[in-house]
Amino acid sequence: MKSSWFHFLILIIILVLGTATFFMVRGNPTAQLATGIIVSVAYMIWGVLHHAIDGDLHLKIVIEYVLVGTIAILFLYFMMRP
């Protein structure tokens, strides 16, 4: 937990900016889906880097972040379909 506060600050910034952008492009499902994909990928990258820096990165952690990000993207995709 060397600099975890900084890591989590970065995560909060990613999520807050993503949420704000998602609502700013309200009415444009394509832009909202793109925003969701970008935020999900950023979350996955953040998670892998965070654990790599902390020295506890394992394959199951990578799989977890990829699955959570993929589920979020699929959820958005299917919720935005007419």
Side-chain angles (χ1 to χ4, degrees):
M1 305 276 291
K2 303 166 191 106
S3 59
S4 285
W5 69 269
F6 180 72
H7 296 175
F8 288 105
L9 177 64
I10 296 298
L11 177 60
I12 289 168
I13 290 169
I14 290 169
L15 296 176
V16 167
L17 289 177
T19 301
T21 302
F22 187 85
F23 286 112
M24 284 179 13
V25 296
R26 189 178 357 191
N28 185 346
T30 303
Q32 285 183 315
L33 181 59
T35 300
I37 291 169
I38 291 167
V39 171
S40 292
V41 170
Y43 168 78
M44 288 184 251
I45 292 169
W46 175 87
V48 171
L49 289 175
H50 169 72
H51 286 281
I53 290 168
D54 278 356
D56 63 348
L57 182 63
H58 303 286
L59 179 59
K60 70 180 191 176
I61 290 174
V62 173
I63 291 170
E64 178 184 340
Y65 278 99
V66 169
L67 285 176
V68 169
T70 302
I71 289 169
I73 292 168
L74 290 173
F75 178 78
L76 275 176
Y77 175 76
F78 287 112
M79 291 301 292
M80 300 209 149
R81 288 179 40 188

